[in-house]
Amino acid sequence: YLSARKLKTKTIKTYKMKNILIILTAIFMIGCASNPIKLAPQTYSNESKNGVIAGTVSIIDGKPKFNSYDFYYREIGQKKQHRITIKPDQGGFTMVLKPDYSVGDTLVFQYLMEHPPGQYEFFNYSLFNNMGYIQSTKREKKGFSIPFQVKSGEIAYLGDMVINTKEFKKTGTLVRWLDNSKRELEKFKAKFKKIDWSTFANQTITEGEIENQELIEFKKAER
């Protein structure tokens, strides 16, 4: 009887420890929100040797579906990768996106990234989902090439990448790439007073080499 009782007590303790480990694992997995605008240079002029890329990633439907939204780019012919990352605030049991501003049900995240001049390309994306023991990442297996140029002393506006995961499931289109340069220039000017915005050039991307042609739709008109 005592042996059975000890065994039962040990089993209960083991069960509790497993629950504690699961809770601790969940706590370590959650993290603070990540917004790409935090990496923006605070000053910039036409005398700079580097160039700057500017734009936005907009997420339709305010409830985050993923733990991380990433767009990867690199200088063409180079292995070093860069990325534009958006992570919701995961400090609780629900994920909350904290945009730079909103337009209706669309959450808008700005980015300004400084790089040496050269020919660059967006080559993939990833949508990461973490459910504890189950993790998944959506990306293009073969990638793609969406080229753009970085020039010394210029802020190149690349466009607004509008993500619609609901539409993705129905039509296969994940991103609508739009020109919202006028709206963004006003927003950037208000936020970064020490940047010379006369260097701002509308270089909205309008094409790329994408095997899955439905994945990204390029639009010239502003939304």
Side-chain angles (χ1 to χ4, degrees):
Y1 172 75
L2 288 174
S3 297
R5 188 173 181 180
K6 286 181 180 179
L7 181 61
K8 184 178 181 181
T9 303
K10 187 177 180 180
T11 302
I12 292 171
K13 286 181 178 179
T14 302
Y15 176 75
K16 287 182 177 179
M17 283 300 296
K18 284 183 179 180
N19 282 345
I20 291 170
L21 286 172
I22 290 170
I23 293 169
L24 288 173
T25 301
I27 291 171
F28 282 117
M29 283 193 303
I30 61 179
C32 297
S34 177
N35 192 318
I37 202 63
K38 293 178 181 178
L39 302 175
Q42 298 303 303
T43 61
Y44 188 76
S45 73
N46 59 4
E47 296 179 356
S48 176
K49 293 181 180 179
N50 290 331
V52 170
I53 59 172
T56 49
V57 178
S58 298
I59 299 176
I60 294 177
D61 189 2
K63 296 178 181 179
K65 303 294 188 299
F66 299 93
N67 297 82
S68 180
Y69 301 75
D70 294 273
F71 281 86
Y72 298 90
Y73 64 98
R74 63 192 169 197
E75 189 171 2
I76 294 175
Q78 301 297 318
K79 292 182 178 180
K80 185 178 180 180
Q81 300 180 5
H82 310 278
R83 64 180 177 176
I84 297 168
T85 298
I86 297 168
K87 289 183 180 179
D89 187 337
Q90 300 167 67
F93 289 100
T94 58
M95 295 188 293
V96 180
L97 285 165
K98 295 183 177 180
D100 294 297
Y101 65 92
S102 299
V103 179
D105 66 346
T106 301
L107 308 182
V108 184
F109 298 83
Q110 300 171 309
Y111 66 85
L112 287 171
M113 307 287 194
E114 187 171 352
H115 293 291
Q119 301 291 333
Y120 290 74
E121 65 178 351
F122 286 99
F123 64 93
N124 217 324
Y125 72 93
S126 68
L127 303 174
F128 175 63
N129 196 356
N130 189 342
M131 299 178 66
Y133 290 117
I134 302 173
Q135 299 178 353
S136 64
T137 302
K138 296 181 183 293
R139 61 165 59 94
E140 289 298 292
K141 290 182 179 179
K142 295 185 178 181
F144 44 76
S145 178
I146 300 175
F148 60 90
Q149 187 174 7
V150 176
K151 296 180 181 179
S152 299
E154 179 183 277
I155 299 173
Y157 172 79
L158 302 182
D160 183 9
M161 295 179 276
V162 184
I163 302 173
N164 190 334
T165 53
K166 289 183 178 179
E167 186 174 86
F168 187 32
K169 291 179 180 179
K170 295 178 182 179
T171 66
T173 300
L174 176 65
V175 176
R176 280 197 162 82
W177 206 296
L178 307 176
D179 177 4
N180 280 317
S181 54
K182 292 179 182 178
R183 182 188 77 190
E184 286 315 310
L185 181 55
E186 292 180 3
K187 297 286 186 180
F188 281 132
K189 281 183 176 179
K191 185 175 290 187
F192 298 95
K193 304 290 187 180
K194 295 182 179 180
I195 286 179
D196 178 6
W197 290 105
S198 67
T199 62
F200 184 89
N202 185 2
Q203 304 289 353
T204 301
I205 298 172
T206 58
E207 61 183 358
E209 296 180 10
I210 308 169
E211 184 171 335
N212 178 9
Q213 295 183 358
E214 294 178 339
L215 181 71
I216 299 174
E217 183 180 354
F218 296 96
K219 295 277 191 177
K220 292 185 178 180
E222 294 199 4
R223 181 168 57 89

